[in-house]
Amino acid sequence: MLALQMSFGSYEAGVIQTTPFPAQGPEERYALAQFARKAWSLTRAFKTIDETSCSFVLPAAFNERRGFDPARVALELSNLMADIDDLAFRLYGVSQKDRHVIEEGELSVTRVANELDDVEGGSDESDEVEPEYGLTDSGDDGLISWLVGVAFGRFDLRLATGARPIPPEPEPFDPLPVRSPGMWPESEKPPVRPPDILVDDPGHPQDLASHVMAVANAVKVAEPENLRSWLAREFFPVHIKMYSKSRRKAPIYWQLATPSARYSVWLYIHAFTRDTMYRVQNDYVVPKLMLEERRLETMRRERQERSTAAERRALADQETFVDELRSLLDEVKRVAPLWNPELDDGVVINFASLWRLVSHHRPWQRELKSAWDALCAGKYDWAHLAMHLWPERVIPKCATDRSLAIAHDLEDVFWEQSTDGSWAARRAPTQPVDKLIQDRTSPAVKDALQNLLNAPTAANGVGTRRRRAAAGVGNGGGR
């Protein structure tokens, strides 16, 4: 009935208020309450295999181990819905003939609900993933995503091994948990500190694929085939889609990579610090570039005048890879001084300045570039990042826009409350505007921002080969 009254599938208060509710006796009221409680429990059970849910426990790959049968639960829920419908139709006094029209005809609630769901959810064809390396089943995607989460210390593998019991089901109106049951409890920490940065680099101690395989072995699941290639080229778009809803995208694992995705640095959003990008630069990209430059020089020395076609291709391939790494390092250097993560700004705004580092995923790069352009144009001046980069633009606006003043903790400076409770702009701020701007302005940040804004548009592209060899890290640059 609600679905028939709604324009876009939104359960708004007005729709609820105008919905007629039939009179119910004590028995009917008790029956409906029991049906609703059971329906909530069954519906929640499906959420326990969805890692984006606050009810998540374990991915579907562990259903058999934990005794969860989705088919049985779905059948039980379907039967329960039929019982609810029977009672509701009876309470409303709907005849069998009218019920048939409602359930099977043009006014089918299921049909209307599905159509509204399509309108509300929408789709973005550019984000569809065309698998190239297997692992096409969504259950495999969910398992690998969980394995990555365990590697980063997000999820608790003890639930899969039986070392920690699965938490009991809460009551429907209990406060929502800060963490899902599948995550490490707030009061506990993993016995070994998990990495906050992982890389796609075979042999490296923080190699993502190696960490994922180690977790798979620990929980006794088969190592996924073609794992490294899939992580490098397909996991990130799958992850974005998994962590998106109603066109809001909020990936928590960030892949910064060369255009070919031959080398990637993976970050976990809840482990960000002010030094994260400097660590990416100095602890990961610089050593990797130096290593690959040494390999390139060795290949050049060993190449004979009459080298084979395969050897020439290998040399050209290595030269391209080194150029990509140099470009990656340049981009990381540009953004490192600007990096100032603030999760309250949202994922896209935090990610926006890194748009040059995601050329391996064009749709996401376009979205970040659009957000960056809007940020530069002053459309997101409520964001902490806007204040960090452009205090001279944001602070004066706080004098005329109270919401901005509140966002930047300057309400008492520019606004005052009268005795009747209303707010008005002060005739003069409690602190000089110039002083406020000066206190929030960093010359280093300003220089880095100008460098980023003036950078070539074709970012992350491999430029003319060897044009900057003299400035390469292997010759002392970039440290």
Side-chain angles (χ1 to χ4, degrees):
M1 180 173 287
L2 290 172
L4 293 173
Q5 299 179 74
M6 296 180 295
S7 298
F8 295 102
S10 175
Y11 290 91
E12 297 174 353
V15 176
I16 304 296
Q17 291 169 353
T18 58
T19 298
F21 285 87
Q24 306 162 44
E27 291 184 3
E28 291 89 355
R29 183 179 296 275
Y30 178 79
L32 282 172
Q34 295 303 304
F35 287 160
R37 176 64 178 80
K38 183 64 174 177
W40 173 86
S41 178
L42 294 172
T43 303
R44 180 188 178 277
F46 284 110
K47 295 294 185 181
T48 62
I49 59 174
D50 175 7
E51 73 169 61
T52 66
S53 168
C54 61
S55 302
F56 175 68
V57 176
L58 285 168
F62 296 97
N63 283 349
E64 186 174 350
R65 292 192 199 180
R66 52 183 286 238
F68 175 59
D69 183 355
R72 180 192 60 78
V73 174
L75 178 60
E76 192 173 350
L77 183 58
S78 177
N79 292 335
L80 184 60
M81 291 170 65
D83 292 338
I84 293 173
D85 284 345
D86 288 340
L87 179 54
F89 279 119
R90 180 164 60 82
L91 289 173
Y92 276 107
V94 178
S95 68
Q96 286 296 323
K97 181 179 179 180
D98 287 343
R99 177 173 178 174
H100 177 76
V101 173
I102 292 173
E103 291 184 327
E104 305 297 337
E106 293 299 320
L107 296 180
S108 167
V109 173
T110 302
R111 181 180 303 175
V112 172
N114 288 341
E115 290 176 354
L116 292 174
D117 210 26
D118 292 340
V119 171
E120 183 187 38
S123 64
D124 186 349
E125 294 182 359
S126 63
D127 286 340
E128 292 297 322
V129 179
E130 296 294 338
E132 298 177 3
Y133 299 95
L135 306 178
T136 58
D137 183 76
S138 59
D140 289 335
D141 296 348
L143 173 61
I144 297 176
S145 180
W146 179 80
L147 295 173
V148 171
V150 173
F152 272 117
R154 178 175 178 83
F155 298 122
D156 188 351
L157 64 75
R158 296 177 301 172
L159 292 168
T161 62
R164 174 190 164 200
I166 293 177
E169 180 182 86
E171 289 299 314
F173 295 101
D174 284 352
L176 290 177
V178 176
R179 303 184 180 190
S180 69
M183 299 172 71
W184 276 91
E186 283 189 283
S187 59
E188 299 182 49
K189 292 183 179 180
V192 178
R193 182 177 179 179
D196 55 351
I197 300 174
L198 290 168
V199 289
D200 179 13
D201 191 4
H204 193 285
Q206 305 300 348
D207 176 56
L208 174 62
S210 298
H211 278 254
V212 167
M213 287 188 287
V215 177
N217 291 333
V219 298
K220 296 181 172 56
V221 297
E223 294 182 5
E225 297 180 2
N226 304 311
L227 177 63
R228 185 174 300 280
S229 297
W230 192 85
L231 287 172
R233 295 176 176 85
E234 295 188 28
F235 175 58
F236 189 55
V238 166
H239 176 65
I240 291 176
K241 191 171 183 178
M242 183 182 294
Y243 279 77
S244 298
K245 186 174 184 180
S246 298
R247 303 187 185 279
R248 180 180 179 271
K249 300 174 182 178
I252 59 173
Y253 311 126
W254 293 11
Q255 182 187 20
L256 312 181
T258 59
S260 64
R262 286 182 60 183
Y263 180 75
S264 301
V265 178
W266 289 87
L267 310 178
Y268 175 40
I269 191 172
H270 293 293
F272 285 166
T273 69
R274 291 287 299 273
D275 295 329
T276 295
M277 295 309 297
Y278 282 114
R279 291 183 55 216
V280 169
Q281 172 185 317
N282 298 322
D283 297 346
Y284 295 91
V285 182
V286 167
K288 178 63 174 177
L289 177 55
M290 295 175 66
L291 173 63
E292 297 303 332
E293 284 182 329
R294 289 194 297 269
R295 287 176 176 169
L296 177 59
E297 291 305 315
T298 299
M299 293 173 69
R300 285 172 175 165
R301 286 195 304 268
E302 294 177 350
R303 186 182 66 176
Q304 303 297 323
E305 292 183 2
R306 293 184 178 181
S307 57
T308 65
E311 290 172 336
R312 289 194 295 270
R313 285 194 299 270
L315 178 60
D317 184 63
Q318 183 67 8
E319 288 175 335
T320 299
F321 186 35
V322 168
D323 276 347
E324 283 193 337
L325 288 171
R326 287 172 178 162
S327 296
L328 178 67
L329 179 59
D330 283 346
E331 298 302 346
V332 174
K333 284 182 176 180
R334 286 191 180 103
V335 298
L338 304 176
W339 181 247
N340 187 39
E342 177 56 64
L343 296 189
D344 286 344
D345 284 351
V347 171
V348 173
I349 289 180
N350 273 284
F351 214 145
S353 65
L354 309 183
W355 68 269
R356 296 171 178 271
L357 293 165
V358 291
S359 60
H360 56 286
H361 190 287
R362 293 296 185 184
W364 184 239
Q365 185 180 47
R366 287 194 295 270
E367 184 156 342
L368 296 184
K369 178 61 164 62
S370 177
W372 175 250
D373 290 343
L375 194 65
C376 293
K379 294 182 180 179
Y380 300 138
D381 278 348
W382 49 265
H384 295 79
L385 182 58
M387 176 66 85
H388 179 63
L389 300 179
W390 297 282
E392 72 284 355
R393 183 184 76 198
V394 176
I395 290 176
K397 288 185 179 181
C398 294
T400 57
D401 188 331
R402 181 170 165 246
S403 64
L404 288 183
I406 293 173
H408 298 296
D409 199 25
L410 293 173
E411 183 183 26
D412 292 338
V413 174
F414 290 104
W415 296 80
E416 59 184 351
Q417 188 175 23
S418 63
T419 54
D420 63 0
S422 62
W423 287 83
R426 294 180 182 273
R427 292 185 177 181
T430 60
Q431 300 179 45
V433 173
D434 290 346
K435 181 66 164 56
L436 292 170
I437 295 174
Q438 181 181 358
D439 291 345
R440 291 163 175 78
T441 300
S442 164
V445 169
K446 282 298 180 184
D447 289 344
L449 176 60
Q450 197 61 44
N451 180 39
L452 180 61
L453 296 175
N454 292 337
T457 303
N460 265 344
V462 179
T464 303
R465 185 161 295 154
R466 297 182 297 277
R467 68 183 177 185
R468 300 187 304 102
V473 175
N475 296 323
R479 281 201 175 276

